[in-house]
Amino acid sequence: MKNILIIGATGQIGSELTMKLRSIYGNAHVVAGYIRGAEPKGELLESGPAEICDVTDGDAIERIVRRYRIDAIYNLAALLSVVAESKPLMAWHIGIDGLIKVLEVARQHGCMVFTPSSIGSFGPESPADGTPQDTIQRPRTIYGVSKVTTELLSDYYHRKYGTDTRSVRFPGLISYKTPPGGGTTDYACDIYYSAVRGEKFICPIAAGTYMDMMYMPDALNAAINLMEVDHARLKHYNGFNIASMSFEPTQIFEAIRKYKPEFQMDFDVDPLKQANADSWPNSIDDTCAREEWGWKPTFNLDSMTQDMLTRLSKRLLG
Ligand code: SER
């Protein structure tokens, strides 16, 4: 990778991935693609090139790819699971009509493509514990349906045209810079905001509901390391399971209480979020990612909690 385009550079993943890629490849070599209404600000805007890049506008993508001689595209444009359920057609339009535009430009210009998949690509018929890499995927959400389609389309372009497409199935991502907005796993971010603000947290997910989660620094490393690895080492390409921790609401609450003993939590379960969570794995098996490209997470629940509380306190309270 020499010149990189991030589509969705101002979102939860994009805002951090863009800065990390700039620190590795050089500021001028990483273009922040954004849509109107989600303009980059601060260091994201000031540190390197930025272009309007709607994922559903193939001509715009192609213009940027030509202008900056892009050789790798990180396609992060998507609606998360809860928002997607209220706008299924838009979720499909962004997730899949958009992906086809990206893949077509990549095919014609020889770009690599990274498009996230998710634990949401599994469904109630998938084995819930230690969900294997290759198993039944019959998700019940439009988010999951579009993620399975993402994996299949990316594999299709790889097989048919030799386009170098790669992806991971991200767990719920926890971060302190940009909030996720509209996902089922958002509670695991929101809980830290409440803890730092000294507020009681109202948890929308029932006690006992396990889901895979990951701290953002590990997620960024996963994306970059997978894109960097020698193609010949890979057997799977699209949709690697990656895992670092699985917990249920009471466990993250207790992890925070270790540092904030006065912190309180109540439950007010959101039926849509709960249904999504119940249909997703409790924990996934990431053996293939470990074997094929050396995936290894660095944070666990306790080290993430310490880091989140420290950094979020600095951000929110100064
Ligand atoms: N974080 C996503 C969501 O909750 C799942 O990958 O929608």
Side-chain angles (χ1 to χ4, degrees):
M1 292 189 286
K2 284 184 236 85
N3 297 312
I4 299 167
L5 168 63
I6 321 275
I7 301 177
T10 58
Q12 186 197 12
I13 304 173
S15 56
E16 297 200 38
L17 185 62
T18 304
M19 295 309 297
K20 173 131 190 170
L21 288 169
R22 283 182 176 163
S23 74
I24 299 171
Y25 299 99
N27 288 349
H29 295 278
V30 181
V31 181
Y34 63 95
I35 50 167
R36 279 182 211 286
E39 284 77 9
K41 296 187 195 90
E43 59 172 9
L44 196 57
L45 178 66
E46 283 145 25
S47 60
E51 297 279 347
I52 291 185
C53 185
D54 183 331
V55 72
T56 61
D57 182 351
D59 292 340
I61 300 170
E62 184 164 26
R63 264 197 309 277
I64 298 168
V65 164
R66 281 181 191 277
R67 177 166 174 208
Y68 292 91
R69 300 177 180 280
I70 297 295
D71 42 37
I73 302 173
Y74 285 81
N75 168 28
L76 307 178
L79 296 188
L80 288 183
S81 56
V82 177
V83 183
E85 221 46 49
S86 66
K87 301 173 189 165
L89 294 184
M90 191 190 281
W92 183 264
H93 187 51
I94 294 171
I96 303 305
D97 297 338
L99 174 63
I100 285 272
K101 305 275 177 175
V102 172
L103 290 172
E104 271 301 294
V105 173
R107 173 175 79 78
Q108 286 159 22
H109 294 270
C111 308
M112 295 176 75
V113 180
F114 177 90
T115 312
S117 184
S118 162
I119 51 169
S121 69
F122 295 110
E125 289 95 358
S126 313
D129 296 298
T131 311
Q133 174 68 38
D134 300 310
T135 188
I136 187 164
Q137 286 175 283
R138 305 284 293 176
R140 300 273 170 93
T141 62
I142 189 66
Y143 179 72
V145 170
S146 73
K147 288 303 183 190
V148 174
T149 309
T150 295
E151 295 182 11
L152 293 173
L153 263 179
S154 301
D155 275 343
Y156 179 79
Y157 267 72
H158 179 243
R159 254 196 316 275
K160 187 166 175 83
Y161 302 115
T163 307
D164 193 346
T165 54
R166 305 181 187 193
S167 67
V168 296
R169 294 178 182 137
F170 278 131
L173 298 182
I174 295 159
S175 65
Y176 56 87
K177 280 198 180 140
T178 310
T184 302
T185 57
D186 293 12
Y187 91 88
C189 260
D190 298 342
I191 193 170
Y192 287 105
Y193 281 76
S194 295
V196 167
R197 290 188 174 122
E199 294 163 0
K200 181 192 260 190
F201 181 62
I202 308 298
C203 187
I205 299 290
T209 310
Y210 282 85
M211 284 186 278
D212 266 291
M213 302 282 179
M214 184 174 291
Y215 197 29
M216 187 60 86
D218 279 331
L220 301 182
N221 285 337
I224 295 169
N225 292 346
L226 174 58
M227 287 293 269
E228 282 290 350
V229 77
D230 183 357
H231 187 266
R233 280 184 61 187
L234 300 177
K235 296 190 193 80
H236 297 83
Y237 303 95
N238 289 285
F240 277 98
N241 283 5
I242 53 167
S244 65
M245 62 186 97
S246 162
F247 55 75
E248 53 90 23
T250 316
Q251 290 172 323
I252 187 171
F253 172 65
E254 289 302 342
I256 294 171
R257 286 256 284 201
K258 193 170 146 193
Y259 303 99
K260 293 199 166 283
E262 71 292 349
F263 185 44
Q264 299 288 314
M265 177 169 82
D266 267 347
F267 290 91
D268 182 10
V269 172
D270 177 312
L272 174 59
K273 291 183 181 177
Q274 188 62 39
N276 290 351
D278 287 341
S279 75
W280 294 355
N282 299 331
S283 66
I284 61 177
D285 180 297
D286 61 2
T287 310
C288 291
R290 288 175 186 264
E291 288 177 357
E292 291 177 40
W293 49 279
W295 157 246
K296 198 168 185 291
T298 55
F299 283 91
N300 60 24
L301 178 55
D302 183 56
S303 53
M304 173 179 77
T305 297
Q306 285 187 51
D307 201 63
M308 272 296 282
L309 291 174
T310 311
R311 291 174 187 274
L312 203 52
S313 298
K314 258 190 222 138
R315 248 202 68 210
L316 298 181
L317 312 174

